[in-house]
Amino acid sequence: MLLTEEQRTEFDREGYLFLPRAFSEDEAALLRGEASRVFALEREEVWREDSGAPRTAFAAQAYSEPFRRLGLHPRLVEPVTQLLDGPVYLHQYKVNAKAAFDGDVWQWHQDYGTWARDDAMPEARAMNIAVFVDEVTPVNGPLMFIPRSHREGVYETGHDLETTSYPLWTLDRETVTRLAEAGGIVAPTGPAGSVLMFHCNLVHASPPNISPWGRTIVYLSLCHVDNHIRQFKRPDWVAHRDFTPIEPLADDCLAELVAQQAAE
């Protein structure tokens, strides 16, 4: 799934790309079932909202075969390798839920701001690529971006330890207002299996989900191997310490599991 020159230009300009239906419904259904299993686990990597609803399963590739294969999938790894101009390693892996009625907010933030402050990642030579496990709609807590907000580097932030169960370096309202008045706000929506890729400095957030429809998105945070983190104060299941370049699997690696399940 290599990107065209037009797509690369759009990414550089806007800070993100949306690729509908990059994975089949069967592949998405496999991941959807696996997400339900993973969120039911009692592990330190599985974080919950204050209500008890699932929020994030960190490092799911370490205890889930479908998510391991997704993290090595060429449809995700190869486009990022293109944009970062070289081999990449897996810095972080998250399966993020927005549970029906109970999915909480993710405040306005930049991911590289956290990676720089908490992990001493030298440069913004990293990015996110995400897979919609469920259909994402305007009402079930879609991810929101401020287009072109990646161009000014890292903004000043405060460390929010109270709003949700997960601590986050967040932007103030004045900064978000200024950026949104200049670039607007977009919330890409689409069917399960769609893919979003976005620059690590792009300002983003997501609202609470008070709808009766949950949504789950898997995020791979990939970093150029030369740009690996230098500080290790967070657990290795949050900020990984294996800087080995990813070797993608075959394109049918998830389809194989779908076929195995169908044969059982």
Side-chain angles (χ1 to χ4, degrees), residues 158-218:
H159 205 191
D160 187 342
L161 304 175
E162 299 179 356
T163 299
T164 69
S165 60
Y166 184 75
L168 202 63
W169 292 97
T170 60
L171 278 67
D172 60 41
R173 294 182 178 184
E174 292 75 18
T175 301
V176 172
T177 299
R178 175 178 66 82
L179 294 170
E181 287 177 346
I185 296 175
V186 298
T189 59
S194 298
V195 165
L196 265 174
M197 49 198 315
F198 58 100
H199 193 282
C200 62
N201 271 334
L202 194 70
V203 176
H204 60 288
S206 63
N209 182 14
I210 60 172
S211 83
W213 303 289
R215 70 95 172 132
T216 296
I217 299 177
V218 181

Side-chain angles (χ1 to χ4, degrees), residues 7 18 29 52 62 77 119 121-122 197 213 258 263:
Q7 288 174 317
F18 181 53
V77 176
D119 305 323
M121 185 182 288
M197 49 198 315
W213 303 289
V258 171

Side-chain angles (χ1 to χ4, degrees), residues 234-247:
R234 298 201 290 175
D236 60 3
W237 46 265
V238 175
H240 302 329
R241 302 171 191 179
D242 182 353
F243 310 136
T244 306
I246 296 174
E247 293 290 340

Side-chain angles (χ1 to χ4, degrees), residues 60-243:
Q61 82 284 358
Y63 47 93
S64 162
E65 179 62 14
F67 286 129
R68 183 190 75 84
R69 295 191 183 200
L70 183 66
L72 302 172
H73 206 290
R75 289 177 227 164
L76 302 181
V77 176
E78 289 177 356
V80 178
T81 300
Q82 261 189 294
L83 290 173
L84 294 180
D85 194 26
V88 297
Y89 79 94
L90 180 64
H91 170 61
Q92 193 172 71
Y93 195 120
K94 301 192 297 283
V95 185
N96 277 6
K98 276 291 176 81
F101 296 111
D102 293 321
D104 210 345
V105 63
W106 286 90
Q107 310 93 299
W108 289 106
H109 67 285
Q110 298 171 292
D111 285 332
Y112 178 65
T114 296
W115 302 341
R117 295 179 183 95
D118 289 351
D119 305 323
M121 185 182 288
E123 301 176 61
R125 297 177 67 196
M127 61 179 295
N128 292 299
I129 189 161
V131 180
F132 290 5
V133 174
D134 299 292
E135 179 182 10
V136 176
T137 76
V139 301
N140 67 351
L143 190 64
M144 301 189 301
F145 298 126
I146 300 180
R148 300 180 292 283
S149 58
H150 63 302
R151 295 181 170 185
E152 296 181 16
V154 178
Y155 300 102
E156 291 187 12
T157 59
H159 205 191
D160 187 342
L161 304 175
E162 299 179 356
T163 299
T164 69
S165 60
Y166 184 75
L168 202 63
W169 292 97
T170 60
L171 278 67
D172 60 41
R173 294 182 178 184
E174 292 75 18
T175 301
V176 172
T177 299
R178 175 178 66 82
L179 294 170
E181 287 177 346
I185 296 175
V186 298
T189 59
S194 298
V195 165
L196 265 174
M197 49 198 315
F198 58 100
H199 193 282
C200 62
N201 271 334
L202 194 70
V203 176
H204 60 288
S206 63
N209 182 14
I210 60 172
S211 83
W213 303 289
R215 70 95 172 132
T216 296
I217 299 177
V218 181
Y219 294 89
L220 274 64
S221 301
L222 303 180
C223 181
H224 195 287
V225 293
D226 293 343
N227 194 49
H228 65 79
I229 63 173
R230 269 63 170 176
Q231 179 169 276
F232 309 108
K233 71 177 186 180
R234 298 201 290 175
D236 60 3
W237 46 265
V238 175
H240 302 329
R241 302 171 191 179
D242 182 353
F243 310 136

